[in-house]
Each structure stands twice: as C-alpha cells, then as structure tokens.
Amino acid sequence: MDLRPIGIFDSGLGGLTAVREIMRVLPGENLVYFGDTGRVPYGTRSRETIIKYTRCDLNFLMTYNIKAAVVACGTASSIALPVVRGEFPVPMVGVIDCAARAARDATRNGRIGVIGTPATIKSDAYRRALHALDPALQVVSNPCALLVPLVEDGRFARGDTVAQLLVREYLAPLLERGIDTLILGCTHYPLLTDVFRDVCGPDVALISPGATAAADTKALLLEQGLLNTSGRRRQSSYFVSDNTVGFARSAEMFLGCPLEGELTRIEIEKYENRETE
Amino acid sequence: MDLRPIGIFDSGLGGLTAVREIMRVLPGENLVYFGDTGRVPYGTRSRETIIKYTRCDLNFLMTYNIKAAVVACGTASSIALPVVRGEFPVPMVGVIDCAARAARDATRNGRIGVIGTPATIKSDAYRRALHALDPALQVVSNPCALLVPLVEDGRFARGDTVAQLLVREYLAPLLERGIDTLILGCTHYPLLTDVFRDVCGPDVALISPGATAAADTKALLLEQGLLNTSGRRRQSSYFVSDNTVGFARSAEMFLGCPLEGELTRIEIEKYENRETE
C-alpha cells in the first residue's frame, strides 16, 4: 500500500488522454501531471534537447515524491526513456512499448497500421518497437499532419464532415494493405475514436497508447505492491510551463470531464539539475 | 537612388508571401528577411512580449542598414508598430493599416469580411483599423483555426476537397451577410486564393495584406526618392531564429519560387538592446 502519486508528463496537453485512462483503471491513485506547453512540440527537436527536456520533466515530477512515472509523450518515450530510465529510482512506463506490445497481442494477420504526427512517423519509433518484438510483423504507417489541429479545434465528433473526410483519406492506404490492428500513435487521436471506428469498421483493433500505458501501470503497481488502497478521495495536481488559461480550457476536452485539482504554471527550466535528496 | 535593402520581418514564414509581392512590384530592391521561427506564434503572447519581440526584430534588421521596414506580422503591426514606430529612423509599413485602406477603397456596399487566425480575429485589429478610417463600415469576421495547418501541409490547390470544404464553411456566414470585400487577414491565406475565388465568386474583392504592403512600400520609396534604380541583380538574405532545414523546405511554397540568397540562423535574443551606431 503506497499513497505516493503517479507522475505523468507530456510535451503538451495531449497526455491528458492518458490521465483519463489512468483515472479510469486506477481510480484510487493520486496523480501529478506536467504538460510542457511552453516547449511543445518535442517531435521536431534534436535528440540532445529531447533528452534534456525529459530529464527536466522527470526531475520536476520527482520533487512530488512519485512512486511511478508515465511518459505520455511518444517522442520522449522513444528517444529519451531508454537513456534516462536508469537515472531515476522509480519504475517508468512509456507509451510506445506498451502500445507495440498491445498491437502485437491484438493482431491476427500480422499487419499493423500506425498513424501519428509527421515527426512521430518519421522517427519510425513504433515500427522499431514492433520489430523488436517480432521482426515478421508488417507495419504500414501514414503521417496525419492535420489531425492534431483538427482535434485542438474541437472537431472530433462523428458528425464532423472534415474529420470524416480526413480520417478516410489518411486510413485508405492502410486499409488497402489489409491491416487488422491500428495504433493511434498520438495522444490526441483517442478523441477521434468514433470516427476511426466508422472508417475502419468493426474488424480492426484500435490501440490507444494512453490506454495501454494505463493498463501497464496498473499491472506494475499490482506486481510491486505499490497500489493505493486507502480508499481516500483521489488528489490530482496539474502543472504547465505556459499560460494556464489556454490549458484549463482545453483540458476538459482531453480529460472528458472537468479538471479537478489545482493547476499551476511553473518554470520548468529551473529543474534542469536534479535536486539532491 | 538608394542601394540599401528593405527589411521585412514576420513571426514565422508566412511573411514570405509579402516578400513574394515585394519582389514582384519592386524587382530591383535588395531584401533582408527575418522570420522569428523560434518564437512563433506572436498572436497568443502578452502585449509587453509582442512589443519586446518587435523591437528585437527591428534592432536586428537595422544592423543591415535598411532603408525601410515592412512589418509582415499582423500581431506586431497592430500591437507593437504604433508604439515602436518613432524609435527607429526608417519609414515603416505595417500589414494591417495597408489592408484596411485597400478594403475601404475596394468596397462599394460598405460590407467588409475579415478572416484570420483565432488570435488575430480575437484581437479585433482589422475591425479597429477599418473603423478608424470609416466608422460606418460594416465588418463581419470569422476565425479560421484550420487554414494555417492546411496551408503548411501544402493543401491549398483548387482540387483539394478538404480545403474547399473548410473555406466554404468559414466564408458562409460572411457571404450570407453580403460582403463585397474580403480581407485575407493572415499571411498564409494568399496561397488559398484560387479556393477563395471559387467560393466567393467574381464579385468579392480579395484583399491580401502582403500585396497591399508591397504596393504601399513602393509608393513610399517613390515618394521619398529611395528607390534602387541601379539595375543590379537583387540580393536577398534570409534569417530565422530556429532550424534552417524546416524553413528552406517551406519557403519555396510561400515564395512561389526557390529561395535565392543565403539562409542563416541567428540568436535573436542577442538583439534585445539596440546597438549604438
């Protein structure tokens, strides 16, 4: 039994879709979220910068005495997590590996589709993670430049003609190749689930990295005896590195419920060096 | 006769559509462009920050001994230009005022439409500029959140179904109000001119702030005897505050021709204080 919070970070607010899933499967856990909204996006930055930012973000979360860290940012998960994992005394879950394992388990015909931002697809992180699990998997990917702006503009409901048109266009080459499993490789995409479902039909498994990370976090806490079974009401704290106003407005959309708990702006640059404990 | 270059700056790469128009109407002029790609966008920042960045950008351009400055950024034009204009010893042209005057001159029924990013429309800068010229003008505006990502994804040609659908949706409330003049209030929008033209029909005048700024710059140079009539080949220099790779790729799209001249990354923060001359 462990009352310490779970720490989650993302380069922006998309990581709140992972928080949503963690709240669902681990309703008793306290949470600390950091969204690096002042330095978003990570995907276009250099390897060194991504590692530096990730260390920074984890240093900040560590000041809240977290018991586990969830790296909800795909870029940080693939580039920085393998480097920094050993530097922190808590177990870490990254979205890429969780989603790759879930996709490997879900596919029957071995054909897996991956969609994401142009930076994520160019990084080839999902393909590498999938091939590390099973080199025989066929991976078909497609960058979807307009889905993040679309979701951020609130246009993700079933009835949105532009959303429907774009998703159909982006998924066409993947469906033509006969994929039976689709990794929604961007934290924003779960909001478009209804549209993806309509376009893919019922026979394609949709893998949401946030949901798989939440499931893996639960398994990890169970295994290591770290669950919070106090039955006390959950406490959540949210931190950002830019304006809190814009964040509060969008947070509800990504969480699927109003933001509970305090929201604070911090100067993340101050956490470049780890505090001595 | 004056060989000194014209300085142009924008918060990013959209200002290159103004450069394109300046090259067209002033083919003999040398140019220095600065795109503040490391600090884009300006529209969501505080008034003080926008003024500070604008001073910085102008300080940098002044080191190239410019004879005139074109503020291609709508946010900097409306918020900072009135404040900083007197601080620099060169004439300055801002996109907002030029476009407002051109729209006032173009309209016959006094109903002017304005489209732009959510930040530009929220700032109400075009409406204020139009009403300063003529309080009787009816101004109808609409924020278009998805047009910048659409253009940056290269989807602006007549045949693009998503572009057509979005433009039709964004312009519908303006056309219903009977506008006969439309200000394309974002530097990215001139690339969508064919789509706007198809949706608006032939009777709505399209006002491109970059083109009106180019025309005003020409008039200003003529009037003040500052034209470069040497007949020498134009020299252009481009500077950005972030990665040059991404910029070079997109620049051709905005310029409508390959980028000629050197492209250099600078540390714009170094120009916060004006160099003593």
Side-chain angles (χ1 to χ4, degrees):
Chain A
M1 152 91 165
D2 194 324
L3 299 171
R4 289 178 300 164
I6 300 169
I8 305 121
F9 80 88
D10 182 34
S11 55
L13 44 76
L16 293 175
T17 58
V19 171
R20 180 181 191 159
E21 296 293 335
I22 292 169
M23 285 175 165
R24 206 171 57 80
V25 299
L26 290 163
E29 297 297 331
N30 299 316
L31 305 175
V32 180
Y33 181 83
F34 173 62
D36 200 0
T37 51
R39 308 195 291 195
V40 67
Y42 283 11
T44 52
R45 306 197 188 269
S46 70
R47 186 182 152 80
E48 300 75 54
T49 302
I50 293 162
I51 293 171
K52 189 175 85 175
Y53 285 2
T54 302
R55 275 203 187 102
C56 222
D57 303 342
L58 286 166
N59 284 341
F60 168 71
L61 290 176
M62 291 303 293
T63 65
Y64 280 80
N65 191 27
I66 57 171
K67 62 183 170 186
V70 177
V71 183
C73 169
T75 302
S77 295
S78 74
I79 310 281
L81 189 53
V83 179
V84 306
R85 194 188 283 275
E87 300 171 10
F88 296 87
V90 294
M92 293 193 192
V93 174
V95 281
I96 304 262
D97 286 339
C98 299
R101 271 195 306 272
R104 189 252 339 246
D105 295 346
T107 188
R108 296 171 309 274
N109 68 11
R111 282 181 225 138
I112 296 171
V114 181
I115 54 172
T117 63
T120 294
I121 297 305
K122 201 175 153 219
S123 78
D124 227 21
Y126 280 105
R127 187 191 304 271
R128 278 184 282 115
L130 287 162
H131 282 161
L133 294 171
D134 180 354
L137 291 171
Q138 290 176 49
V139 183
V140 198
S141 61
N142 202 15
C144 307
L146 294 175
L147 296 188
V148 165
L150 192 76
V151 167
E152 292 192 345
D153 195 31
R155 304 180 67 141
F156 45 75
R158 197 160 241 151
D160 191 282
T161 327
V162 173
Q164 201 83 22
L165 199 65
L166 280 173
V167 167
R168 207 173 295 137
E169 177 191 313
Y170 288 135
L171 292 187
L174 280 61
L175 296 170
E176 277 163 24
R177 293 279 298 277
I179 61 158
D180 72 351
T181 302
L182 175 66
I183 296 179
L184 310 179
C186 167
T187 47
H188 283 56
Y189 295 177
L191 276 74
L192 283 160
T193 296
D194 286 347
V195 182
F196 287 129
R197 177 55 64 213
D198 288 352
V199 172
C200 289
D203 296 331
V204 174
L206 302 180
I207 306 293
S208 157
T212 56
D216 278 25
T217 305
K218 183 175 183 177
L220 178 111
L221 296 185
L222 263 170
E223 198 184 286
Q224 305 198 7
L226 296 173
L227 278 176
N228 178 351
T229 50
S230 67
R232 283 185 220 148
R233 196 180 150 79
R234 169 178 58 221
Q235 297 207 322
S236 313
S237 308
Y238 298 88
F239 298 88
V240 289
S241 51
D242 197 358
N243 216 325
T244 54
V245 179
F247 185 85
R249 244 198 327 260
S250 306
E252 188 168 337
M253 189 168 92
F254 283 89
L255 282 175
C257 64
L259 191 84
E260 273 176 21
E262 45 169 353
L263 169 61
T264 313
R265 179 175 180 164
I266 57 157
E267 292 194 39
I268 188 65
E269 293 80 9
K270 288 188 179 163
Y271 297 85
E272 268 195 29
N273 298 307
R274 182 119 164 256
E275 289 187 6
T276 46
E277 281 151 69
Chain B
M1 152 92 163
D2 194 323
L3 298 172
R4 290 177 300 164
I6 299 168
I8 304 119
F9 80 87
D10 182 33
S11 55
L13 45 76
L16 293 174
T17 58
V19 171
R20 179 181 191 161
E21 295 294 335
I22 293 170
M23 285 176 163
R24 204 171 59 79
V25 301
L26 290 163
E29 297 297 332
N30 299 317
L31 305 175
V32 180
Y33 181 83
F34 172 62
D36 199 359
T37 50
R39 308 195 291 193
V40 69
Y42 282 12
T44 51
R45 305 198 188 269
S46 70
R47 185 182 152 79
E48 300 73 58
T49 302
I50 293 162
I51 293 171
K52 187 176 88 175
Y53 286 2
T54 302
R55 277 204 186 100
C56 220
D57 302 342
L58 286 165
N59 284 342
F60 168 71
L61 290 175
M62 291 303 294
T63 65
Y64 279 81
N65 192 26
I66 57 171
K67 61 183 172 185
V70 177
V71 183
C73 170
T75 302
S77 295
S78 73
I79 309 280
L81 188 53
V83 179
V84 307
R85 194 188 283 276
E87 300 171 10
F88 296 86
V90 295
M92 292 192 193
V93 174
V95 280
I96 304 263
D97 287 339
C98 300
R101 273 194 305 273
R104 190 255 333 252
D105 295 345
T107 187
R108 298 171 308 278
N109 68 11
R111 281 181 226 137
I112 296 171
V114 181
I115 53 172
T117 63
T120 294
I121 298 304
K122 202 176 151 217
S123 79
D124 227 22
Y126 279 105
R127 187 192 304 271
R128 278 184 282 115
L130 287 162
H131 282 161
L133 295 170
D134 181 353
L137 291 171
Q138 287 177 49
V139 184
V140 198
S141 61
N142 203 14
C144 307
L146 293 174
L147 295 188
V148 164
L150 192 77
V151 167
E152 292 191 346
D153 195 32
R155 304 180 69 141
F156 45 76
R158 197 160 242 152
D160 190 284
T161 325
V162 173
Q164 201 85 21
L165 198 64
L166 280 173
V167 167
R168 205 172 297 139
E169 177 191 312
Y170 288 136
L171 293 187
L174 282 60
L175 296 171
E176 277 164 24
R177 292 280 297 277
I179 60 157
D180 72 350
T181 302
L182 176 66
I183 296 180
L184 310 179
C186 168
T187 47
H188 283 56
Y189 295 176
L191 276 74
L192 283 160
T193 295
D194 287 346
V195 182
F196 288 129
R197 177 55 65 216
D198 288 352
V199 171
C200 290
D203 296 330
V204 174
L206 300 182
I207 306 292
S208 158
T212 57
D216 278 25
T217 305
K218 184 174 183 178
L220 178 111
L221 296 184
L222 263 169
E223 198 183 286
Q224 305 197 7
L226 295 173
L227 278 176
N228 178 350
T229 50
S230 67
R232 283 187 219 146
R233 194 181 153 77
R234 170 179 55 224
Q235 297 209 322
S236 313
S237 309
Y238 298 88
F239 299 88
V240 287
S241 50
D242 196 359
N243 217 325
T244 55
V245 179
F247 187 86
R249 244 198 327 259
S250 306
E252 188 167 337
M253 189 168 91
F254 284 90
L255 282 174
C257 64
L259 190 84
E260 275 177 18
E262 45 167 353
L263 170 61
T264 314
R265 180 177 180 164
I266 58 157
E267 292 193 41
I268 188 64
E269 292 79 8
K270 288 189 180 163
Y271 296 86
E272 267 195 30
N273 298 307
R274 184 121 162 252
E275 289 188 6
T276 47
E277 278 151 69

